[in-house]
């Protein structure tokens, strides 16, 4: 976990050098995702850790104290989470929002071999996921949960003189029927 204040300090010192292995630069607060990040910082900072996917980073080495806490990160690169980091920085420096209560999840991989394509692969895979449609979010609504429950309790009509009764199948979550 890295604090919002620490991310601001790191960004202040290293700027865009942090994102040399990232696939994008800051997209401002114009899109829905970045507006959502800013709203969380402003109105629900205590929920930032739960609501945000955090950052994926690489380093060539780290140093720890006697308690195992990281004290130094060498060649730190944020390969996924540039929007998160930049949004926290802009919220603090441009909008004047308090980021001291922000906690950001961070996955850090220490990569000893700089010639390896490992960092590129981490960046690629961390920035890849199956598309989530807006309709997918509605699948957890009370309506769909209730319809799923009905489908398990209500018998389907018998067809073609069959004596076998069947139930309905209601696909509440996309892909559920295939599984």
């Amino acid at each position: 976990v890295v604090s919002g204040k620490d991310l601001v300090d790191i960004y202040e010192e290293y700027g865009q050098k942090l994102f040399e292995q990232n696939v994008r630069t800051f997209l401002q607060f114009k899109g829905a995702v970045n507006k959502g990040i800013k709203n969380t910082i402003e109105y629900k900072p205590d929920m930032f850790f739960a609501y945000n996917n955090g950052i994926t980073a690489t380093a060539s080495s780290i140093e720890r104290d006697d308690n195992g806490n990281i004290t130094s990160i060498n060649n730190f690169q944020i390969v996924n989470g540039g929007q998160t980091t930049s949004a926290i920085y802009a919220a603090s420096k441009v909008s004047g929002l308090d980021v001291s209560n922000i906690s950001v999840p961070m996955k850090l991989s220490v990569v000893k071999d700089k010639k390896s394509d490992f960092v590129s692969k981490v960046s690629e895979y961390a920035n890849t996921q199956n598309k989530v449609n807006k309709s997918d979010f509605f699948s957890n609504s009370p309506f769909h949960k209730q319809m799923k429950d009905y489908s398990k309790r209500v018998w389907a009509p018998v067809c073609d003189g069959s004596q076998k009764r069947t139930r309905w199948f209601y696909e509440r979550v996309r892909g559920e029927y295939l599984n």
Side-chain angles (χ1 to χ4, degrees):
V1 177
V2 61
S3 73
K5 184 183 178 327
D6 285 344
L7 273 180
V8 167
D9 293 345
I10 291 166
Y11 188 95
E12 187 102 319
E13 186 171 344
Y14 297 101
Q16 288 295 307
K17 290 179 187 175
L18 290 172
F19 308 120
E20 288 174 349
Q21 296 290 327
N22 207 299
V23 298
R24 289 185 299 217
T25 188
F26 186 46
L27 301 175
Q28 305 302 311
F29 291 120
K30 296 176 182 172
V33 172
N34 287 0
K35 284 180 184 176
I37 292 172
K38 184 178 180 187
N39 284 340
T40 302
I41 293 167
E42 189 168 4
Y43 300 111
K44 294 275 190 185
D46 57 319
M47 296 304 294
F48 196 89
F49 184 91
Y51 291 173
N52 189 277
N53 287 334
I55 61 177
T56 301
T58 61
S60 60
S61 64
I62 60 171
E63 295 172 22
R64 298 177 185 261
D65 64 16
D66 293 337
N67 296 323
N69 298 315
I70 296 173
T71 58
S72 176
I73 301 175
N74 298 306
N75 299 314
F76 185 64
Q77 279 291 296
I78 297 174
V79 298
N80 181 265
Q83 299 308 304
T84 295
T85 304
S86 298
I88 290 170
Y89 180 80
S92 173
K93 295 299 183 177
V94 177
S95 301
L97 298 177
D98 179 15
V99 297
S100 62
N101 293 320
I102 301 292
S103 294
V104 182
M106 178 175 69
K107 179 173 62 173
L108 177 64
S109 297
V110 177
V111 183
K112 306 253 185 233
D113 182 8
K114 283 184 160 183
K115 296 175 185 171
S116 166
D117 68 341
F118 179 78
V119 174
S120 294
K121 294 277 189 215
V122 170
S123 177
E124 178 184 347
Y125 299 151
N127 284 289
T128 304
Q129 71 175 39
N130 292 319
K131 183 178 188 252
V132 178
N133 298 321
K134 284 195 176 230
S135 60
D136 293 337
F137 294 113
F138 192 51
S139 68
N140 284 325
S141 71
F143 170 81
H144 284 296
K145 288 181 177 181
Q146 191 173 23
M147 288 298 292
K148 181 69 174 186
D149 184 53
Y150 287 150
S151 76
K152 291 178 179 178
R153 291 187 291 117
V154 176
W155 291 100
V158 176
C159 298
D160 301 324
S162 172
Q163 297 298 313
K164 185 176 180 185
R165 295 177 71 184
T166 60
R167 301 242 186 228
W168 297 96
F169 183 85
Y170 185 76
E171 186 174 53
R172 181 180 66 84
V173 179
R174 187 168 47 117
E176 183 179 24
Y177 180 75
L178 294 175
N179 287 324

